[in-house]
Amino acid sequence: MNDLVRQHTALSESDLEWLHLLVSEWQLLSDLSFADLVLWVPTLDGTRYVSVAQMRPNTGPTSYQDDMVGHLVPRGRRPMLDAALDEGRIVREGDPEWREEVPVRVESIPVRREGRVLGVIARNTNLLTVRTPSRLELTYLQSASDLAQMIAAGAFPFPDQQVDMDASPRAGDGLIRLDADGVVQYASPNALSAYHRLGLAADLVGQHLGKITAELAPSRGPVDEALVKLASGYAPRETEVEGNGGVIQLRAIPLKPKGPRIGSLVLLRDVTELRRRERELITKDATIREIHHRVKNNLQTVAALLRLQARRMDSVRGKEALNEAVRRVGSIAIVHETLSHNLDERVEFDEIADRVLAMVAEIAPGKVVCRRSGRCGILDAEVATPLSMVLTEVVQNALEHAFAPGEQGTVDVTAVRGGPRGAERLLITVQDDGRGLPEGFDPQRAGNLGLQIVRTLVEGELGGSFDMRPAPGRGTHVVLDIPVQSQK
């Protein structure tokens, strides 16, 4: 719609915002009218109309099989559009049009903002299934007529209320029509069922909706005056009401077709099961985070015990082995600590990589610097946990074997992530400028525990590949190639 309005019309940005607000709300008008809506806006030179938006009803058959957005129509071809634009009134006269052997009643509703008519809504009703309307349908049509008059007067939509139509109740979810005093004139079967869920035993018709709603919603103090006012439809508001184990979502729409408020529409939806599932998910999320927190605490306890044992060891090799185990346990604990703060089982691995490098750097000779570049991105926990251990082993191996005590050097960790969706890969390289690999060294057959862990985790758990080879010039070049899932 933005492109069409800016390309073909003279409307300002504030006018365009008003049209966006209208389009965000007009599903209600379409459903209440049982009709298709097409928004036509005059072009810059005033000789044509361009259709910038279209809506089909959820409550009846469509009048348009094709998408009308982007169509251009010369002035004069549709006299009802001309009359609505020029005279600023709703135009209903005229015989039904026939489209592919389907009779269609066409009406034109001017869209007014601050006294100016910005465009025209063409309301197209498929008459093929017309029959004697029920009380529900009559209430729908009367409410649609009131809303159409409000649009023509510039009183709808409400500029101070942004509505999320995906989350708000719709006409089919439940509808109540109130008079000017807030007394129920009509309640649809779905609306009545929702109030029965709250504990109402009687009928709604003839009841003051605000008072009944406040009585059904438990409160610690006197009657909730704000809830009474909202449910009475005095202002455009949304809220949720909970009582008797049920939860309903309310949206009030004051009806002012000729200025003063003549009544209100209240749309409502029973969201009891939805809220119950949301609470269950919140409870599960909290439980999972607590489990990760406890696992992290237990791993830190294990690491502390290993440190105590290392201090009591007389063997230098024994102390080194225990200290390596401390770092391995610590790398896993870092992942669980990160997961304990997340709502899902995914983590930002760059933060984990930085903490792993800082932990391993504690064993580095004083003049060796560890650096990271590139981005690993968000990874699933089942990838992040083994990958953190692999990174720990590779960097630790470089720090222990590449440099002599007191020697200056660097260990660079670089991450590159990319590839087609569904086959994305993470490439991590670890390169040092140390002494390099011993002659005849084969990383696929080397027997030390660290490289065995790397090979097992990369190839077995992560489904990737691992390679270690001499770096160009000096040092060692390690490559980890791992498949990862694309994150939306």
Side-chain angles (χ1 to χ4, degrees):
M1 186 167 76
N2 287 347
D3 293 340
L4 288 171
V5 168
R6 289 167 181 158
Q7 178 182 353
H8 293 285
T9 78
L11 296 182
S12 66
E13 289 298 317
S14 57
D15 292 335
L16 179 57
E17 286 300 318
W18 182 263
L19 296 184
H20 273 293
L21 190 59
L22 172 66
V23 168
S24 72
E25 292 269 27
W26 71 344
Q27 179 72 64
L28 175 61
L29 177 62
S30 178
D31 290 344
L32 293 176
S33 303
F34 308 100
D36 291 77
L37 305 178
V38 179
L39 177 57
W40 296 93
V41 180
T43 58
L44 183 62
D45 58 10
T47 62
R48 296 181 296 175
Y49 299 96
V50 57
S51 58
V52 298
Q54 179 179 358
M55 177 59 64
R56 291 184 171 91
N58 295 316
T59 52
T62 184
S63 302
Y64 287 109
Q65 298 301 321
D66 299 325
D67 190 356
M68 296 296 296
V69 175
H71 283 216
L72 290 165
V73 173
R75 271 186 68 100
R77 180 174 296 179
R78 300 192 178 182
M80 295 177 69
L81 290 181
D82 298 340
L85 182 69
D86 297 339
E87 301 173 22
R89 64 179 179 88
I90 298 176
V91 182
R92 292 193 176 95
E93 59 264 19
D95 296 327
E97 296 181 2
W98 287 84
R99 299 175 188 163
E100 299 179 359
E101 300 183 355
V102 174
V104 177
R105 182 175 65 242
V106 181
E107 305 167 83
S108 296
I109 304 167
V111 177
R112 192 183 303 273
R113 174 179 179 265
E114 297 180 350
R116 296 181 299 111
V117 177
L118 306 182
V120 178
I121 295 175
R123 181 163 56 177
N124 304 268
T125 306
N126 187 324
L127 300 178
L128 196 60
T129 58
V130 168
R131 53 184 173 78
T132 303
S134 64
R135 178 78 187 279
L136 171 66
E137 291 167 333
L138 288 173
T139 303
Y140 271 32
L141 292 171
Q142 180 58 52
S143 302
S145 177
D146 293 336
L147 284 178
Q149 292 183 59
M150 292 171 64
I151 292 172
F156 187 83
F158 305 109
D160 57 345
Q161 186 189 37
Q162 295 289 337
V163 176
D164 181 359
M165 292 306 298
D166 292 332
S168 292
R170 299 196 177 193
D173 296 325
L175 179 142
I176 297 175
R177 173 92 184 205
L178 307 178
D179 65 13
D181 296 322
V183 176
V184 177
Q185 293 180 311
Y186 175 79
S188 71
N190 285 346
L192 190 57
S193 297
Y195 266 83
H196 286 166
R197 188 73 176 262
L198 289 181
L200 178 69
D203 194 1
L204 273 173
V205 176
Q207 303 269 19
H208 190 281
L209 187 66
K211 294 177 181 178
I212 280 290
T213 304
E215 291 172 3
L216 294 173
S219 60
R220 297 179 181 176
V223 173
D224 189 341
E225 294 297 335
L227 181 58
V228 171
K229 189 172 182 179
L230 187 149
S232 300
Y234 289 105
R237 295 287 184 272
E238 285 194 43
T239 191
E240 285 190 2
V241 180
E242 185 169 358
N244 194 40
V247 184
I248 63 173
Q249 186 180 13
L250 294 177
R251 182 190 176 198
I253 303 173
L255 296 176
K256 305 176 182 179
K258 297 181 180 179
R261 188 174 66 86
I262 64 167
S264 304
L265 275 184
V266 176
L267 306 179
L268 64 152
R269 178 172 56 178
D270 185 347
V271 292
T272 305
E273 294 304 316
L274 178 63
R275 296 297 175 258
R276 182 185 61 80
R277 289 195 295 269
E278 287 177 351
R279 288 166 184 166
E280 287 180 353
L281 288 174
I282 291 172
T283 301
K284 287 181 180 179
D285 288 339
T287 301
I288 291 171
R289 290 199 299 271
E290 178 62 21
I291 290 172
H292 284 302
H293 181 71
R294 294 189 182 188
V295 170
K296 182 263 298 184
N297 287 345
N298 290 339
L299 290 172
Q300 289 180 336
T301 301
V302 171
L305 292 174
L306 291 173
R307 287 193 194 94
L308 287 174
Q309 187 65 44
R311 291 171 187 166
R312 294 175 177 269
M313 293 283 292
D314 294 328
S315 168
V316 174
R317 294 186 63 186
K319 283 186 177 183
E320 290 177 353
L322 287 175
N323 286 330
E324 287 181 1
V326 167
R327 286 186 285 274
R328 288 165 184 152
V329 171
S331 66
I332 301 174
I334 289 172
V335 177
H336 283 282
E337 181 180 4
T338 304
L339 288 168
S340 69
H341 300 294
N342 290 357
L343 293 176
D344 53 20
E345 291 292 288
R346 296 185 295 174
V347 294
E348 179 64 61
F349 193 77
D350 298 293
E351 177 187 344
I352 293 174
D354 290 338
R355 295 182 63 181
V356 165
L357 291 179
M359 177 184 67
V360 178
E362 295 176 359
I363 68 166
K367 297 182 180 180
V368 177
V369 177
C370 294
R371 302 179 300 197
R372 181 185 67 84
S373 60
R375 186 172 182 273
C376 300
I378 297 175
L379 300 178
D380 292 334
E382 60 187 12
V383 174
T385 301
L387 184 57
S388 67
M389 284 195 65
V390 168
L391 188 60
T392 300
E393 294 297 330
V394 172
V395 176
Q396 180 175 299
N397 186 72
L399 293 174
E400 287 183 346
H401 301 294
F403 305 98
E407 185 180 2
Q408 293 184 353
T410 58
V411 177
D412 289 309
V413 178
T414 305
V416 177
R417 183 167 176 169
R421 185 171 294 277
E424 194 171 349
R425 305 190 73 83
L426 174 61
L427 191 69
I428 297 178
T429 60
V430 180
Q431 182 167 321
D432 63 71
D433 54 1
R435 68 187 67 170
L437 297 172
E439 189 173 346
F441 179 82
D442 185 356
Q444 301 302 326
R445 296 185 179 182
N448 73 71
L449 180 60
L451 289 182
Q452 289 181 10
I453 291 174
V454 171
R455 286 198 301 269
T456 300
L457 293 179
V458 172
E459 298 173 0
E461 288 198 31
L462 298 174
S465 62
F466 159 71
D467 187 29
M468 177 184 285
R469 56 182 181 269
R474 175 181 169 84
T476 304
H477 187 76
V478 178
V479 180
L480 307 171
D481 188 357
I482 299 165
V484 292
Q485 292 184 355
S486 300
Q487 303 296 340
K488 295 182 179 179

